[in-house]
Amino acid sequence: MQPEQAESTIVAAIQDQAEVIADAHNARNALDWNGTYNGILPCADCSGIETQLMLRQDGSYMLTETYQGKKGGDVERSGQLEWNAAGNTVTLLNDNGSSIQYFVGERRLFRLDREGKRITGDLAENYILQKQ
C-alpha cells in the first residue's frame, strides 16, 4: 500500500468511526482551526477554482471562489458553519440549502465529496486548502 493510500484509508476509517468514538480531544477543541485557508480546487469546465475560505471563531465563514478563465467567475458566500458530533468536520451552510464539507486537519482542510467522504484517487491532493 502506498503512503498516500494508507493515509486515505486511515482518515476514511476515522471519519466512519467518528460518530462512535467519543474523544475529548478533536480538531474543534485541540487545533487552531480558525483562520484563512487557500488553494486551487479542480474544476470540470475551467482551469481551476481559486478558493479562499475564512473560518471565524464565532462560527461564521466567508468563502470566495474564482473560476479561472471564466468571465464573471467570482462567487462569494458567507454564513454559519456547523461541526459534526466528532468535532473533526465542518459543514458550510448556505442560504440556498446547499452545503460544503471539509475535514479539519493540522493547518489543512480536506474538501469532502457530497456524501461527506474524503476524496481519493489521483486528484486527492488537489482537494486540500492550506492555512495561511
Side-chain angles (χ1 to χ4, degrees):
M1 184 178 285
Q2 297 293 328
E4 301 87 39
Q5 291 172 320
E7 180 183 348
S8 293
T9 301
I10 291 168
V11 170
I14 290 169
Q15 287 177 310
D16 291 342
Q17 296 178 6
E19 301 297 329
V20 176
I21 299 171
D23 186 353
H25 290 88
N26 57 42
R28 185 176 187 179
N29 65 26
L31 295 179
D32 184 22
W33 56 267
N34 57 311
T36 302
Y37 297 81
N38 293 301
I40 299 176
L41 302 178
C43 179
D45 62 351
C46 67
S47 60
I49 305 168
E50 191 175 329
T51 304
Q52 181 179 67
L53 175 57
M54 181 186 302
L55 302 179
R56 297 185 186 107
Q57 192 71 39
D58 68 359
S60 65
Y61 75 88
M62 170 65 81
L63 176 65
T64 304
E65 297 174 312
T66 302
Y67 289 75
Q68 297 176 336
K70 291 187 125 187
K71 274 193 166 182
D74 294 346
V75 177
E76 285 192 5
R77 296 183 187 121
S78 62
Q80 293 299 119
L81 60 92
E82 285 185 355
W83 286 90
N84 69 348
N88 62 13
T89 300
V90 293
T91 300
L92 310 180
L93 304 171
N94 295 317
D95 290 338
N96 65 5
S98 67
S99 62
I100 302 168
Q101 292 184 309
Y102 284 92
F103 180 84
V104 180
E106 184 71 37
R107 303 192 57 76
R108 300 187 297 175
L109 297 176
F110 298 86
R111 175 78 180 255
L112 303 179
D113 67 15
R114 292 176 192 213
E115 287 80 40
K117 304 283 185 201
R118 178 99 179 261
I119 296 168
T120 59
D122 295 339
L123 296 177
E125 291 298 311
N126 295 328
Y127 287 91
I128 300 172
L129 302 180
Q130 300 289 335
K131 190 172 183 182
Q132 281 187 336

